[in-house]
Amino acid sequence: MQVWAVANQKGGVGKTTTVVTLAGLLADVGYKVLLVDLDPHGSLTSYFRFDPDELEHSVYDLFEQLQVDEKRTKSLILPSSQPGIDLMPASTALATLERRAVGKEGMGLQVAKALATQKQSYDFVLIDSPPVLGVLMVNALAACNHLLVPVQTEFLALKGLQRMVRTIEMVNRARRNKLEYTIIPTFYDRRTQASVSSLRELHKRYEDNISTAVVPVDTKFRNASLKGLVPSSMDAGSRGVHAYAKLLRNLLEQRREGQANG
């Protein structure tokens, strides 16, 4: 089971769109996918038409008791409307977690421990994390095999990326195995100088980690969201879906190479 976290310490860069689109493409080719929503805003949960304010059980339950087992974890997972995709939803109670976590040990590994109980059930797990460095993002980084960092192609987003890269470096000092990451340029509009110059700067600073797949501005993502569908089932031929399909091919190739070398 591969676990990919999608994170950035800046909001509005396309994290949920990245999670949903990659999940749809993986499910399209037969993989069983679990999505985990760690963002208190619950955008991923709402995408699939669940209400974070009304759910009786959610990923928050993992933090109420540190004891984690297969049955308890499975009880938190909901089937989505999309074949092959399940969801561990968020609740707004996650917003209180930072305060509750003060002085508690072991809170940073709860998601990793829960996902370990589901290894036989899923091929891929995609985690949507909040844009804040705290216990929830720490859980996402601790649980994942690979980190995906969507970055809007504009100046302020580049500043946010610097903070995220520093966080990755800090995490890698504590991990036994280095956390590999891929930067995904998003909201690219080649008609604007801001996008063009930002993409050039991303390649200049992060050449070893930037994806060759560049996600364009595409209204088809919004249309899919309005219907609660993964973008590939809404319009598989759209420019945005093509970009994510290229990204996915690259990620799967990296995975195969890693398995061959490992």
Side-chain angles (χ1 to χ4, degrees):
M1 183 176 77
Q2 283 287 298
V3 182
W4 296 345
V6 180
N8 194 327
Q9 286 170 246
K10 184 184 184 304
V13 297
K15 294 192 304 296
T16 300
T17 297
T18 297
V19 170
V20 169
T21 309
L22 289 177
L25 291 167
L26 286 165
D28 287 345
V29 293
Y31 289 115
K32 184 69 173 170
V33 184
L34 173 64
L35 305 183
V36 180
D37 191 353
L38 291 184
D39 192 334
H41 289 108
S43 297
L44 181 61
T45 300
S46 298
Y47 193 106
F48 289 103
R49 302 303 186 260
F50 296 104
D51 188 342
D53 292 314
E54 301 293 335
L55 289 168
E56 184 177 355
H57 296 290
S58 73
V59 70
Y60 178 77
D61 294 19
L62 294 177
F63 300 94
E64 287 212 288
Q65 299 177 14
L66 295 186
Q67 186 67 31
V68 172
D69 58 43
E70 181 179 4
K71 182 178 179 181
R72 184 159 174 260
T73 300
K74 198 167 185 62
S75 72
L76 306 179
I77 296 172
L78 302 172
S80 81
S81 56
Q82 304 295 303
I85 301 176
D86 290 342
L87 172 70
M88 188 182 294
S91 72
T92 50
L94 286 171
T96 70
L97 195 59
E98 293 300 326
R99 175 170 46 82
R100 293 171 59 91
V102 173
K104 283 190 176 181
E105 293 185 6
M107 294 284 274
L109 296 174
Q110 286 301 96
V111 172
K113 290 190 290 186
L115 294 181
T117 71
Q118 302 299 308
K119 283 185 175 180
Q120 304 306 314
S121 300
Y122 298 97
D123 301 300
F124 286 89
V125 179
L126 276 70
I127 303 173
D128 194 1
S129 72
V132 178
L133 179 57
V135 68
L136 291 166
M137 185 181 287
V138 167
N139 266 271
L141 298 180
C144 71
N145 310 113
H146 196 98
L147 176 64
L148 305 178
V149 187
V151 180
Q152 189 173 356
T153 47
E154 55 98 18
F155 176 74
L156 290 178
L158 298 188
K159 288 290 186 182
L161 177 59
Q162 291 176 9
R163 291 194 297 273
M164 192 68 222
V165 170
R166 285 197 295 269
T167 296
I168 296 168
E169 291 170 349
M170 177 185 69
V171 167
N172 278 336
R173 286 195 291 269
R175 280 176 66 116
R176 182 178 305 163
N177 299 316
K178 182 181 177 183
L179 177 59
E180 301 292 342
Y181 67 97
T182 299
I183 295 167
I184 308 163
T186 59
F187 293 98
Y188 182 69
D189 186 347
R190 64 183 178 183
R191 298 168 300 179
T192 68
Q193 183 58 37
S195 271
V196 172
S197 60
S198 295
L199 183 60
R200 188 183 303 121
E201 189 66 21
L202 282 171
H203 277 284
K204 180 180 175 182
R205 295 188 192 180
Y206 306 104
E207 187 61 44
D208 292 339
N209 295 97
I210 191 168
S211 170
T212 57
V214 178
V215 181
V217 173
D218 191 341
T219 58
K220 299 294 178 64
F221 289 135
R222 188 182 305 120
N223 295 341
S225 176
L226 287 171
K227 293 182 178 295
L229 298 173
V230 295
S232 58
S233 69
M234 181 81 174
D235 187 350
S238 72
R239 294 182 304 133
V241 170
H242 271 297
Y244 277 110
K246 179 180 180 181
L247 169 66
L248 182 59
R249 288 194 298 272
N250 293 342
L251 291 171
L252 293 178
E253 181 61 31
Q254 288 179 38
R255 179 182 177 227
R256 284 190 290 269
E257 289 175 358
Q259 289 173 336
N261 296 330

